[in-house]
Amino acid sequence: MIKVVLVDDQVILRESLKFIVEQDPEIKVVGLGSNGEEALNLCGELAPDVVLMDIMMPVCNGVEGTKLIKSKFQSIKVIILTTFNDEENISKAIKNGADGYVLKDIKPDDLIVAVKSVAKGFSIMHHTALNTVAKQINHDKEPTQRKQEPKFDINLTDRELSIIKLIVDGKSNKEIALSIFITEGSVKNIITNILEKLNLKDRTQLAVFAVKNNIV
């Protein structure tokens, strides 16, 4: 059973989220909070597996709440859920240790998948948010850094590099397959091989790794 704490300053949204995620029999909402400080206290009391938390809240917002939780409870996963898809909030949330960042227009089934995936140790990010993070990381680099050769010493084929660039652009496996004229199954296999080569868990980590190491 995945224990979840929901944190949002709007009661109706907390109750709605509770109803949605508990449609899955493997998820149980064990606590509800209205700001980041309450989230921290609930983590100490209830030891949840995942905290699903809004960003814009009074007293202590989700970005600061993530920082507080991760400073004391590294094993607890935090998913930021928000209507805001801006560079500053996304960048701060990820830097503070957020394990996922999804927008509130996410479909109920996809939200459940996000909770279960993060609980298993995968990073989850809404595709538009992923694009924003990639751009922000690239923007934060010094101009000299952008011109440097990649920092890693792992051989990647031209096809693998092409697929990585398309992932950073937010393309789905189907869109990648159409772009480079191979089957969707082949795309999945190539991505799996890339993740194994780079010792990464998922597409989100791959995209951020690619930008940080000047692959794109």
Side-chain angles (χ1 to χ4, degrees), residues 10 14 17 23 29 31 51 58 73 76 98 101 108 114 122 128 134 139 147 159 168 171-173 187 189 191-192:
Q10 297 185 45
R14 292 202 301 267
L17 291 170
Q23 294 304 299
V29 175
V51 175
F73 308 102
I76 294 178
Y101 194 113
F122 294 98
T128 56
H139 179 268
K147 297 176 183 178
R159 173 154 287 180
V168 171
K171 303 296 184 183
S172 66
N173 287 350
V187 172
N189 291 336
I191 292 174
T192 298

Side-chain angles (χ1 to χ4, degrees), residues 17-126:
L17 291 170
K18 181 178 186 296
F19 175 79
I20 289 170
V21 298
E22 285 191 336
Q23 294 304 299
D24 191 290
E26 296 179 7
I27 299 175
K28 175 65 177 176
V29 175
V30 295
L32 300 171
S34 61
N35 59 64
E37 287 185 1
E38 289 185 13
L40 176 65
N41 293 333
L42 289 169
C43 286
E45 295 170 11
L46 304 171
D49 301 297
V50 177
V51 175
L52 184 59
M53 182 160 52
D54 189 22
I55 275 193
M56 302 305 290
M57 298 179 292
V59 182
C60 179
N61 64 30
V63 173
E64 186 61 27
T66 299
K67 184 176 181 179
L68 292 172
I69 291 169
K70 286 296 186 177
S71 68
K72 291 192 175 182
F73 308 102
Q74 275 291 325
S75 63
I76 294 178
K77 309 299 183 182
V78 178
I79 301 176
I80 294 295
L81 179 66
T82 182
T83 57
F84 296 86
N85 182 27
D86 63 276
E87 296 177 357
E88 185 177 3
N89 279 331
I90 295 174
S91 179
K92 286 181 178 179
I94 299 303
K95 286 178 181 178
N96 284 351
D99 303 280
Y101 194 113
V102 296
L103 303 185
K104 284 183 177 177
D105 62 358
I106 190 171
K107 295 179 181 178
D109 287 348
D110 291 337
L111 179 59
I112 289 171
V113 170
V115 171
K116 297 178 78 171
S117 297
V118 166
K120 292 178 181 178
F122 294 98
S123 299
I124 295 294
M125 192 173 294
H126 191 284

Side-chain angles (χ1 to χ4, degrees), residues 137-174:
I137 292 173
N138 200 36
H139 179 268
D140 288 344
K141 295 176 183 177
E142 294 296 331
T144 53
Q145 284 183 292
R146 298 178 198 172
K147 297 176 183 178
Q148 292 174 354
E149 292 300 315
K151 302 174 184 177
F152 60 93
D153 189 26
I154 298 174
N155 291 324
L156 294 170
T157 67
D158 289 341
R159 173 154 287 180
E160 288 171 337
L161 289 170
S162 296
I163 288 176
I164 290 173
K165 290 176 182 176
L166 290 168
I167 288 174
V168 171
D169 288 339
K171 303 296 184 183
S172 66
N173 287 350
K174 183 176 182 180

